[in-house]
Structure formats: C-alpha cells, structure tokens
C-alpha cells in the first residue's frame, strides 16, 4: 500500500504488545532504501502540548509562530523540501503511539497527508483510538486501516513450532496460548522465562511444562516495567490495586483512583470488567497481574491493602475475589482466621491453584479443622504428582473425616494415592477394617466402597452387577452420591470389558447424574466418570461421541488441564488407535505418555506406555518402540482393569518389532486364559490384534466373539469376518463400501485389500486394481499412505512401506534428515536408515533421483 502509492497513510491499530510497533519498524526498514524516514514519538506527557511532538521539525519558528497551525505547516513543508533536496526520495513519516497525539498535531498531519507532502504510517491503540482529524481521513477513504489481532491458537502453535526444536504437544500450546492471551510481547517473555527457569523443558523430544508458567521471570518483569514507564502515577497505582486485589469491585477502585482512570484503563483494555452485582475489575492477563504484584514491596502492598479495606465490604467478596483477599493478607503478614483460611484453601483447590491451596491450608492450626486442611493439602499434592506425600497426609486424616460428607472422597483419594505408589488395595483395606464399625450387621460405607473397588480390580462383572443392583434398590445409604457415582462408574467399565458397552453406557450416565452434588469434591469424580463414558463409547465404536465428551470436558475445565491433560490425551490417542489412524494416534500418545510420566491421577501411565509401544512398533519406529517398551517394564502398577489389554498391546508390539512369532504366541496364549475368556469385549480386541498380525485362524473366533458383544464396532467386525470367510469379490467390495460409509474406514481398507486379492486370483485384474485404488483411498483418509496392515501383504505389492513413503515424500519436498525426524517424531538415525533402504529398493543413489523413481 505504501510502496505502490495507493494510500498516503496507513493506520496500524492494535492493543499493547500485539506488535504494531514491530510492524511499523519492519515497514520503515523495508522502505529505508527508497524513502526518507522521519519518526514521531507521541506520548501521554506531550498529549496536552499543542504541536509538542512536531518540535523536531519546527525548531526555527519563534514562540509566537510555534502555536500557529499555518506556520507549523510551512515549517514542515520546508523541512521536507530540504530533505528531498538531498536525494529526491519521498518522505515517510512513522508515528508511534498516535493515539497520544494532541488534536493540533493530528490536524497538521492530516493536512500533510491530504496535500501529499509525505506518506504516514501511524501505529495506535483502538482505544482511545486515533484523534478525530486522522480518523476522518480513514472515513473519507484517504487512509487505509490495518487492525492487528492477538495471535490465535493456530498462530501460537506455528510460532512455537518455529521457535522450539522438537514436538510441542497440544497441552503445551494451550497453556502458553491461554497464559499469553495471544500477546506476542508476553509470549516472547514467557518462552524465555519458562525455558530459563526450567519450567518449559524437552523430554524425549517433547516440550513439556513441568510446572506453572512463571510470573516472576526477568523478561516479563521488563515488559511490566516498560508499560509502567509509559503511564502516569494515577494509572500505575490503579493497576497495582487491581493486580493485588482483583477481581475487585469497580466502585472500590473508582473511589480510590477516580472514575476517569478506570475508564481510561478499560479503554486501553488493560483491565476487564466482569458484569455482576457488584461489577468487578481484573487485569486483562493473570500472569501480567502476578508480574505487577512482584514489583510491589510488602510495606507498599500493606498501604494499598488498607486503602482497599477502607472502601470494600468484605461480605460482598466471593470466589476468586475472596481467595485473593486472603492471599493478599498473608503476603502482607496479617493474621487470617482459620475458618477464612479453610474457605480460601478450598477455593484455591477448586481452581487447581495447588501451591496456593497447600500454603494456605498449612497455616490452619485449629484442631477440628486440621484434618480437612490436611486433606486439601493432600489433594493439591496429588494434583502435582507427589503421591507419597499425599498418601502420608491422607493416612493421618481419613479417620477423623470418616463422618464428614467428604469422608468417601478422602478415602477414595487415599486408595488412589497408595495405588499410584504401587501398593495393593489390601494396604488400605486392612487399616479400614480395624476402624470400621458396622451397624446392625450391615457393612459400613467404608467397607462397601472397598468391596466395590476389589470387585472392579478383579473385573468380576457378575458380582459387581449384582452388588450395584442391590444398591440401586435401596438407594439410601451412608455413602450417598460418592458411593453411587463410584459404583456406577466401576460397573460401566466392567460391562465394557465384558462386551456389554451399551449397558455400560447406561451405568456411566447414571454415574454422571450423581455428579452435581459432588462439584468441588476432594476426589476427581468428574474425570473418573468421564473416563468410563469415553471407554464405553470406544467399546461401542462410537468415535464421534467419545470425542465430543473429551472436547466438552476440555472446553469447560481449563484450570484442570495441567493435572488431567495426560489422561485426556491418552483417551484421545486410544480412540485414534482403535480407528486405525495410527500416525495421528502416535502423535497424540507420545506427548500423553510424557505428561503421565509427570502426573498420572487416573493411573493410566502403564496402559499408555503399552499403547505408545504398540503404535511405535506398528509404524516401524524401532528406537522409540524400544524406549517405550522399557518404560512399560519400569512402570509401577496401573489401574488393574487395564492390565489385560496392556499385556495384549505389549505382546502385539513385540511381534511387530521382532517378527519372530513370540509376540503372536503370547497373544494366542493370552486368548486362552480364564481372565480373557471372562471379558468378551477385551477378548474381541485381542482377536483383532492377532488378525492385524496376519493370523487368519482367528477369523472364526472373531465371528463367535463378535456375536456376543454389543455395539457398532463388534457388528462391523463381524460383517468383515463373515465376508472374509466367504471370499467372494463382489460381497467383499459391497462390505467394504458399507463399512466405509459407517465410519469404520480401517475395516473397509482391509475388506478392499482382501477383495483385491480374491479378484486378482479370479483373473479380474481391472476390478482388482479398483479395489487397490479404494484401499489406498482409505489409507489417505486415515492419514496413512501404503501402510502394511492386516493381510495387505496378500494384496498386489506396493514397493515402499508407509513409513518409507512418508519419509521419501518429505525428502522430495526438500526437508533435511533432522527436519523429517522432527516432523515424524523419530530419530535422525531412523530417517537415515529408511532412506538408505529406499535407495536400494528404488535403485537410486541420491535424493535428486528419488522423485523420478517413485512408484506412480
């Protein structure tokens, strides 16, 4: 626009830190060779001085002339002409912070633009916006306006991918995007501060957040200091008050700092207002607020606290505001009652502010409140993955809380903490039995709860079903909603394992109906029930429903992402794996395993390493596969109900890795165990793994098992197995089309592969090629080209494996070995090995010959 002369002025509009100054600098740098660059720096200090910012270009005027618009214009004209006399280049005026221009200076610049004396590039904030004379030029079409927005999630992901050497998982992207608010200046500060503090670290090629993003880093402090220097003392104090107290009532800040200051900060979008009674103010960014708090000394903070107290009604404080008031008082060394501390600790825990919850609860000393304070600390430690410390606190506090409404939640948390340490259920059960006092011959709720957990660990479907049925009939009980939610959730998982996921889903939905009264509980009931809902949907083959549940939780529970994201990613990766989307599954499972290595609240790490090992081996990434295999061996005990499937996936992975028959033999042995026979749903999944490995003997077993399993997946597998056995080309093609339409693309691919073989043997080569084309279409839809899947080796041969094809395609695009390794999350050595084998297969000697030698 500036270079081609279509506009005499361009206004770049953006909030603080979005990058308007950087864009202006880039424009001037690009045009410095063809235009004479002049700069004008507007500021709030000069906003009240007519023509103040133009002083560098009006220095020859007398005092009387310096306030005359005509004289100032003449002086500007003379200055431009002298400048042009040197090299004849047109003039470009770069104006920074144009929203601070006084009206007189803005009027002169508007005349300069209208007359065509110079081109103007002006950067300004949308609020309060440009002065009226410049704004009018835009309305009249004489200027172009460019609005810069905060970076969206996709742009943040792109920045991180460019800045960080390795894989940046979605959880890390989300955390940094939410913390930075899409502000490039804060994003840059966060990345540097987090890396220097060791919070953002690379683990096995994955960039993980090992803790909360720092608000006290030097880069962020510099951003805050720079922002403060540009503000007057009134705005600085108001920002400190809101950062220290926020969210805080708007009237409180207006009474202290004045309504005009509040309006100004709202216009600049430095603060945001939450509607309500009373309306509350907060800093636009939580980390920015924390960084401001770090600049205030304790003595000054105490003075500001007294100011706020004089205008604030403490009875109106609630939620975040109430928590912040307690934190602020403690920061200033003031005494806070134990009741207030307990309430604040609960609020901090509800918001997953674990450090704050622990530090506040640790200050409680009133004996009747200490057990609950210990339980809060334990849950915060559990959230952070400190299971040993959590278990020790729960051992001390569970009995005093047995009669509390949180008693069942505390006992469940205690069981979970001990299981995370590899302890059996009996460790807790023995202790409970010593203290449980049954009434009238009936089991106490503690004994009921432990009995349910034992049945679930054994996956004793019938006994669990009978027990839950009895509970439903009597409904009332001392365990209440916690016991019913846990019972229905455990039953839901067991039913899915037994091949009855439709009934399991009903139980999971009943568990979900018990959740509203459990909101804010010390145990993670919502996440526990979510896992069961998703497992049932996956067992049924309802992929979209499973994804919907995961997305719904993620959208409404952002504060818990640091604790439960690994578990959610694992469930997503498992869903992709079940769908046959192996490449995508692998890309999700690797970060999930790393997240669960740090924090595994639902005890899925062992299962996750098994799935990751399987995906890596299936895709031919032997180096990662061996690492994940060792991770699985080193993993402690996981949730017992997952052990059977974990063993199956590990055996299948070992077979893909070694191709020596031992892994397949282990699977075949596993199929005959009593444990597998009692879990028809899991058994069918094991059969499918054997079939994938090229064992056709399981096809009749698939048919038998699938008939006894509920859901669309079992039905689809039965359809494929029946058509496979019939070995009729027409039937197989029709079956493949119906499976594809039903969303079982991986099964459709196998039907097309089988059809191509049958048709080829029947001499119908044209139709056989059609089947191959349809199979490859399925590969593309699954995101995998030429993958060696179930019996594809029996189809017309493809010269390159799927992994080789992927690597070659990227090599042809010009990517280096290291770039290919980063893109596919494999080692450089793996890339080099695949390329070497590809050269041998295709008979070429270098990358330059690859493209022409690729199979068409």
């Amino acid at each position: 626009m500036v270079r081609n002369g279509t506009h005499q002025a361009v206004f770049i509009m953006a909030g603080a830190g979005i990058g308007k100054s950087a864009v202006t600098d880039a424009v001037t740098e690009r045009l410095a060779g063809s235009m004479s660059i002049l700069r004008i720096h507007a500021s709030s200090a000069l906003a009240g001085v007519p023509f103040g910012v133009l002083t560098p270009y009006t220095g020859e005027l007398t005092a009387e002339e310096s306030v005359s618009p005509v004289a100032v214009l003449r002086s500007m004209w003379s200055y431009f002409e002298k400048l042009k006399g040197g090299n004849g280049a047109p003039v470009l005026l770069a104006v920074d912070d144009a929203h601070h221009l006084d009206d007189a200076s803005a009027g002169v610049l508007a005349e300069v633009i209208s007359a065509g004396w110079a081109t103007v590039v002006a950067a300004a904030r949308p609020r309060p916006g440009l002065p009226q004379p410049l704004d009018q030029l835009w309305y009249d079409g004489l200027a172009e306006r460019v609005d810069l927005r905060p970076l969206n999630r996709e742009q943040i992901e792109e920045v991180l991918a460019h800045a960080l050497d390795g894989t940046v998982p979605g959880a890390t992207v989300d955390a940094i995007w939410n913390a930075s608010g899409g502000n490039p200046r804060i994003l840059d500060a966060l990345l540097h501060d987090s890396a220097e503090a060791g919070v953002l670290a690379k683990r096995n090629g994955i960039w993980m957040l090992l803790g909360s993003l720092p608000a006290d880093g030097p880069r962020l402090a510099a951003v805050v200091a720079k922002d403060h220097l540009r503000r007057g003392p009134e705005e600085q104090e108001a920002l400190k008050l809101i950062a220290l107290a926020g969210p805080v009532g708007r009237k409180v800040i207006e009474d202290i700092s004045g309504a005009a200051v509040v309006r100004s900060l709202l216009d600049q979008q430095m603060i945001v207002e939450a509607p309500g009674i009373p309306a509350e103010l907060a800093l636009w960014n939580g980390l920015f607020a924390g960084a401001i708090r770090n600049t205030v000394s304790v003595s000054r903070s105490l003075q500001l606290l007294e100011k706020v107290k004089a205008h604030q009604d403490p009875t109106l404080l609630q939620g975040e505001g109430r928590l912040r008031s307690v934190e602020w008082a403690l920061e200033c060394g003031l005494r806070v009652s134990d009741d207030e501390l307990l309430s604040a600790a609960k609020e901090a825990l509800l918001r997953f502010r674990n450090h704050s919850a622990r530090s506040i609860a640790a200050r409680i000393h009133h004996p009747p409140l200490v057990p609950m304070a210990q339980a809060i600390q334990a849950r915060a430690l559990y959230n952070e993955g400190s299971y040993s410390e959590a278990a020790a606190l729960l051992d001390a506090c569970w009995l005093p809380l047995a009669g509390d409404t949180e008693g069942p939640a505390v006992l469940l948390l205690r069981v979970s903490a001990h299981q995370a340490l590899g302890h059996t259920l009996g460790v807790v059960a023995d202790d409970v039995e010593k203290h449980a006092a049954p009434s009238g011959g009936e089991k106490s709720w503690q004994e009921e709860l432990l009995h349910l957990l034992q049945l679930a660990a054994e996956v004793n479907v019938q006994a669990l079903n009978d027990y839950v049925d009895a509970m439903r009939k009597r409904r009332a009980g001392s365990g209440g909603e916690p016991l019913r939610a846990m019972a229905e959730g455990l039953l839901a998982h067991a039913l899915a394992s037994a091949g009855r996921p439709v009934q399991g889903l009903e139980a999971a939905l009943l568990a979900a109906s018990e959740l509203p009264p459990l909101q804010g509980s010390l145990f993670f009931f919502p996440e526990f029930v979510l896992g069961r809902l998703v497992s049932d949907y996956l067992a049924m083959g309802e992929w979209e429903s499973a994804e919907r549940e995961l997305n719904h939780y993620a959208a409404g529970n952002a504060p818990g992402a640091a604790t439960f994201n690994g578990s959610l990613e694992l469930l997503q990766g498992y869903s992709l794996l079940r769908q046959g989307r192996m490449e995508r599954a692998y890309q999700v499972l690797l970060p999930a395993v790393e997240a669960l290595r740090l924090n595994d609240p639902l005890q899925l790490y062992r299962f996750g390493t098994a799935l990751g090992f399987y995906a890596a081996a299936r895709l031919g990434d032997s180096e990662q596969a061996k690492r994940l295999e060792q991770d699985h061996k080193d993993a402690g005990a996981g949730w017992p109900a997952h052990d059977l499937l974990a063993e199956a996936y590990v055996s299948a992975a070992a077979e893909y890795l070694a191709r020596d028959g031992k892994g397949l033999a282990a699977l075949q042995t596993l199929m005959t165990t009593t444990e597998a026979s009692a879990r028809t749903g899991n058994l069918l999944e094991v059969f499918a793994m054997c079939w994938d490995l090229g064992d056709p003997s399981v096809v009749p077993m698939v048919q038998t098992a699938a008939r006894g399993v509920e859901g669309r997946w079992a039905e689809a597998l039965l359809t494929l197995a029946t058509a496979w056995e019939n070995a009729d080309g027409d039937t197989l093609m029709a079956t493949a089309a119906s499976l594809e339409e039903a969303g079982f693309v991986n099964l459709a691919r196998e039907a097309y592969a089988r059809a191509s073989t049958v048709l080829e043997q029947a001499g119908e080569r044209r139709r056989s090629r059609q089947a191959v084309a349809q199979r490859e279409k399925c590969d593309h839809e699954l995101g995998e080209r030429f993958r060696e899947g179930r019996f594809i080796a029996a189809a017309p041969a493809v010269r390159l494996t799927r992994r080789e094809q992927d690597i070659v395609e990227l090599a042809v695009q010009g990517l280096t070995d290291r770039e290919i390794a980063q893109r596919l999350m494999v080692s450089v050595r793996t890339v080099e090995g695949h390329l070497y084998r590809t050269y041998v297969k295709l008979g070429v000697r270098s990358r330059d010959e690859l493209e022409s030698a690729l199979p068409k």
Side-chain angles (χ1 to χ4, degrees):
M1 287 179 280
V2 176
R3 192 193 298 274
N4 60 23
T6 56
H7 291 88
Q8 281 297 117
V10 177
F11 302 145
I12 302 170
M13 312 298 291
I18 299 300
K20 56 186 180 298
S21 296
V23 171
T24 303
D25 291 342
V27 170
T28 55
E29 183 179 348
R30 182 71 63 89
L31 298 176
S34 57
M35 302 183 79
S36 297
I37 311 297
L38 298 178
R39 293 186 176 275
I40 293 176
H41 295 280
S43 68
S44 57
L46 291 174
V49 181
F51 308 114
V53 298
L54 303 180
T55 301
Y57 313 112
T58 60
E60 297 179 1
L61 296 179
T62 64
E64 185 175 316
E65 290 174 330
S66 66
V67 294
S68 166
V70 175
V72 170
L73 268 171
R74 286 174 180 164
S75 180
M76 296 280 288
W77 166 256
S78 298
Y79 193 96
F80 294 161
E81 288 302 301
K82 289 178 184 177
L83 197 61
K84 289 179 182 179
N87 55 18
V91 176
L92 174 65
L93 265 177
V95 186
D96 200 16
D97 286 341
H99 51 279
H100 285 314
L101 285 171
D102 62 279
D103 286 341
S105 297
V108 167
L109 288 179
E111 292 290 344
V112 167
I113 294 167
S114 299
W117 295 352
T119 300
V120 172
V121 174
R125 295 183 184 177
R127 297 181 183 180
L130 291 165
Q132 194 276 332
L134 295 180
D135 230 5
Q136 189 62 47
L137 292 178
W138 176 56
Y139 285 123
D140 293 341
L142 298 177
E144 180 67 21
R145 172 172 169 152
V146 178
D147 287 276
L148 302 181
R149 306 293 183 191
L151 300 176
N152 59 33
R153 188 194 181 283
E154 288 72 24
Q155 290 167 329
I156 291 283
E157 187 172 22
E158 187 177 342
V159 169
L160 295 179
H162 179 75
L164 302 176
D165 176 25
T167 299
V168 187
T172 302
V173 175
D174 288 336
I176 293 175
W177 177 46
N178 290 327
S180 68
N183 186 294
R185 187 168 58 178
I186 292 183
L187 172 64
D188 180 68
L190 271 183
L191 289 180
H192 283 89
D193 289 345
S194 300
E196 289 174 9
V199 172
L200 180 62
K202 195 175 181 181
R203 297 289 180 89
N204 294 313
I206 311 292
W207 284 96
M208 306 295 298
L209 288 175
L210 307 184
S212 300
L213 290 163
D216 56 354
R219 293 291 186 108
L220 191 57
V223 171
V224 171
K226 183 178 179 180
D227 181 82
H228 267 28
L229 287 173
R230 303 169 69 169
R231 301 186 181 282
E234 298 86 359
E235 286 191 354
Q236 287 188 30
E237 175 155 309
L239 285 173
K240 288 176 182 176
L241 283 168
I242 298 169
L244 287 162
V248 59
R250 175 171 179 168
K251 188 176 185 306
V252 173
I253 304 301
E254 287 181 338
D255 288 346
I256 298 172
S257 301
V261 171
V262 170
R263 282 196 302 272
S264 174
L265 291 174
L266 284 169
D267 282 343
Q268 297 171 52
Q269 298 178 314
M270 287 302 298
I271 60 176
V272 293
E273 181 178 18
I277 302 175
E280 291 184 325
L281 301 177
L283 264 290
W284 73 275
N285 180 278
L287 277 178
F288 201 85
I292 291 177
R293 290 197 291 270
N294 290 329
T295 67
V296 184
S297 67
V298 174
S299 58
R300 179 61 179 148
S301 182
L302 185 57
Q303 291 175 342
L304 295 173
L305 176 59
E306 294 302 323
K307 275 189 177 183
V308 169
K309 277 187 172 181
H311 295 86
Q312 189 175 61
D313 182 354
T315 62
L316 296 178
L317 290 174
Q318 54 187 352
E320 178 80 3
R322 189 172 185 179
L323 168 60
R324 184 59 211 144
S325 72
V326 170
E327 290 175 331
W328 192 7
L330 294 176
E331 290 163 6
C332 293
L334 299 180
R335 193 180 180 326
V336 180
S337 73
D338 280 8
D339 286 332
E340 289 181 278
L341 289 173
L342 187 64
S343 177
K346 288 179 178 178
E347 186 68 33
L349 191 61
L350 184 65
R351 297 174 182 276
F352 286 89
R353 285 168 50 177
N354 300 310
H355 176 74
S356 183
R358 286 193 289 111
S359 60
I360 292 173
R363 296 171 180 267
I364 296 172
H365 300 293
H366 186 45
L369 302 181
V370 167
M372 182 57 70
Q374 289 176 321
I376 290 171
Q377 292 177 72
R379 173 60 199 273
L381 287 163
Y382 191 91
N383 287 347
E384 296 171 334
S386 300
Y387 302 121
S388 181
E389 296 172 73
L393 282 170
L394 291 162
D395 288 344
C397 73
W398 79 271
L399 188 56
L401 293 172
D404 191 274
T405 54
E406 284 283 8
V410 172
L411 181 55
L412 280 168
L413 193 61
R414 186 187 180 208
V415 170
S416 298
H418 278 284
Q419 287 186 330
L421 295 172
H423 301 160
T424 64
L425 185 60
V427 171
V428 176
D430 292 343
D431 189 30
V432 169
E433 286 178 7
K434 293 176 186 176
H435 299 93
S439 174
E442 294 183 358
K443 287 185 177 181
S444 67
W445 66 259
Q446 293 98 327
E447 291 173 309
E448 279 200 85
L449 186 54
L450 291 172
H451 183 60
L452 282 167
L453 292 172
Q454 185 61 48
L455 292 177
E458 297 166 357
V459 198
N460 190 334
V461 182
Q462 190 56 53
L464 192 57
N465 193 47
D466 293 343
Y467 205 90
V468 174
D469 268 346
M471 285 185 62
R472 290 170 181 167
K473 288 172 184 175
R474 56 185 165 88
R475 184 65 183 170
S478 56
E481 292 92 352
L483 194 61
R484 292 195 294 272
M486 181 58 60
E488 297 289 359
L490 294 172
L491 178 60
H493 192 99
L495 288 169
S497 300
R500 293 150 61 187
V502 176
Q503 297 174 56
L505 181 62
E506 293 175 5
L509 292 172
L510 284 173
S513 71
E514 301 285 356
L515 292 180
L518 299 175
Q519 187 175 5
S521 171
L522 287 173
F523 186 72
F524 37 89
F525 289 106
E527 292 76 19
F528 173 82
V529 173
L530 173 69
R532 275 63 203 165
L533 273 171
V534 171
S535 295
D536 280 300
Y537 278 128
L538 294 181
M540 294 164 62
E542 301 289 350
W543 321 125
E544 292 181 0
S545 296
E547 185 176 1
R548 183 188 66 239
E549 292 292 342
L550 290 170
N551 291 340
H552 178 72
Y553 175 87
N557 296 272
T563 297
F564 290 100
N565 189 73
S567 304
L568 301 181
E569 282 188 332
L570 178 66
L571 291 170
Q572 183 189 9
Y574 183 38
S575 173
L576 292 166
L577 188 150
R578 292 287 302 272
Q579 296 174 58
R581 301 180 186 276
M582 207 61 58
E583 190 77 46
R584 286 184 57 203
Y586 190 37
Q587 292 169 355
V588 174
L589 287 170
L590 276 185
V593 169
E594 293 308 316
L596 291 172
R597 193 192 305 277
L598 298 172
N599 189 13
D600 184 23
L602 296 179
Q603 295 161 39
L604 294 172
Y605 175 68
R606 182 175 172 80
F607 185 50
T609 55
L611 296 181
F613 176 28
Y614 176 82
R618 184 85 181 251
L619 293 171
D621 188 352
S622 57
E623 186 174 322
Q624 285 279 30
K626 289 174 181 176
R627 180 182 67 78
L628 288 162
E629 181 182 23
Q630 189 59 49
D631 284 343
H632 183 77
K633 291 176 180 177
D634 296 341
W639 186 259
H642 292 303
D643 288 348
L644 175 66
L645 279 180
E647 185 180 348
Y649 276 107
V650 166
S651 298
E655 181 63 29
Y656 279 111
L657 200 60
R659 290 292 184 180
D660 57 4
K662 293 180 181 178
L664 184 57
L667 274 177
Q668 292 165 340
T669 300
L670 183 63
M671 292 184 317
T672 64
T673 62
T674 305
E675 183 183 14
S677 300
R679 306 184 197 176
T680 315
N682 292 161
L683 183 61
L684 185 58
E685 200 168 337
V686 176
F687 287 154
M689 292 181 211
C690 290
W691 197 0
D692 262 336
L693 282 164
D695 179 10
S697 68
V698 300
V699 175
M701 290 182 260
V702 168
Q703 290 176 286
T704 301
R707 290 190 182 100
V709 174
E710 300 172 342
R712 294 174 64 247
W713 177 70
E715 183 182 340
L717 205 56
L718 175 60
T719 301
L720 174 62
T722 302
W724 190 286
E725 285 278 271
N726 292 337
D728 178 77
D730 291 335
T731 302
L732 281 163
M733 289 295 285
T735 296
S738 66
L739 289 170
E740 189 176 0
E741 185 178 355
F744 296 100
V745 181
N746 58 327
L747 300 184
R749 173 181 59 196
E750 311 309 337
Y752 283 126
R754 174 71 163 165
S756 67
T757 302
V758 171
L759 292 168
E760 179 80 11
Q761 292 170 349
E764 297 188 51
R765 293 185 177 179
R766 183 183 63 80
R767 294 193 63 207
S768 176
R769 287 194 296 271
Q770 288 177 345
V772 171
Q774 290 296 109
R775 189 203 77 213
E776 291 184 357
K777 173 175 169 287
C778 291
D779 282 328
H780 281 284
E781 187 174 341
L782 292 169
E784 304 177 58
R785 290 192 62 187
F786 310 118
R787 189 177 67 80
E788 292 180 347
R790 179 189 301 129
F791 295 120
I792 281 185
V798 175
R799 298 175 69 185
L800 299 183
T801 67
R802 182 215 50 78
R803 175 62 81 186
E804 289 168 346
Q805 184 72 23
D806 286 346
I807 289 174
V808 167
E809 284 182 351
L810 294 174
V812 168
Q813 292 173 26
L815 275 69
T816 65
D817 289 355
R818 182 169 296 279
E819 289 170 336
I820 294 171
Q822 291 170 3
R823 180 78 64 86
L824 299 179
M825 294 192 295
V826 298
S827 68
V828 175
R829 184 175 298 177
T830 298
V831 173
E832 292 170 346
H834 279 298
L835 279 175
Y836 174 77
R837 287 190 291 274
T838 302
Y839 293 165
V840 173
K841 285 184 179 183
L842 300 181
V844 301
R845 291 170 294 179
S846 68
R847 287 183 180 226
D848 296 336
E849 301 174 17
L850 272 178
E851 188 169 7
S852 60
L854 285 176
K856 304 300 181 183

